[in-house]
Amino acid sequence: QVHVVESGGGLVQAGGSLTLSCAASGGMFSSYSMGWFRQAPGKEREFVAAIRWDGGRTYYADSAKGRFTISRDNGNTVNLQMNSLKGEEAGIYSCAASPPTAGVGNFETQYGYWGEGTQVTVAS
């Protein structure tokens, strides 16, 4: 089983940058693909970005392309660098782990382990 904890949320001005981190524990974490999702107030949770288990490929929501960067180190940390943040991108950002059998993708059902989320507030 994988335990996921997010950090790095906070207040940022529109157009500014913020970096979120996802720390995972568990013996099988290195073989799990990881994804970031966002849930804005009153809206359903949506996919933001994902990275394959080996860090070889990354995937982004169309709205995040060119501004957000997901990366993975050789340990247990996955980062999400967010640049030029927009007001509508505020919300709770959650990190999730997808087992090898499910792989990487943009569907919530592919991810079996979720963190509690970290709040991102964008002020304009």
Side-chain angles (χ1 to χ4, degrees), residues 11 14 29-30 46 51 53-54 66 74 77-79 84-86:
L11 175 65
F29 171 77
S30 62
E46 61 182 334
I51 188 167
W53 67 272
D54 61 355
N74 293 325
T77 302
V78 174
N79 296 320
S84 301
L85 279 163
K86 303 175 181 179

Side-chain angles (χ1 to χ4, degrees), residues 17-123:
S17 300
L18 195 66
T19 299
L20 307 180
S21 295
C22 176
S25 61
M28 298 299 295
F29 171 77
S30 62
S31 64
Y32 280 58
S33 296
M34 304 295 295
W36 283 96
F37 293 79
R38 175 182 63 242
Q39 185 169 28
K43 298 182 179 180
E44 296 182 353
R45 186 157 54 193
E46 61 182 334
F47 170 78
V48 178
I51 188 167
R52 201 170 65 179
W53 67 272
D54 61 355
R57 293 192 64 181
T58 57
Y59 306 86
Y60 298 93
D62 289 340
S63 61
K65 292 180 179 178
R67 297 186 297 113
F68 290 11
T69 302
I70 188 170
S71 61
R72 186 170 194 161
D73 62 15
N74 293 325
N76 297 331
T77 302
V78 174
N79 296 320
L80 180 67
Q81 294 179 308
M82 303 184 291
N83 298 323
S84 301
L85 279 163
K86 303 175 181 179
E88 61 266 31
E89 293 170 333
I92 298 176
Y93 283 73
S94 299
C95 181
S98 175
T101 54
V104 64
N106 61 346
F107 297 102
E108 292 185 25
T109 55
Q110 294 179 285
Y111 297 86
Y113 305 96
W114 294 77
E116 294 183 353
T118 185
Q119 179 72 48
V120 173
T121 302
V122 181

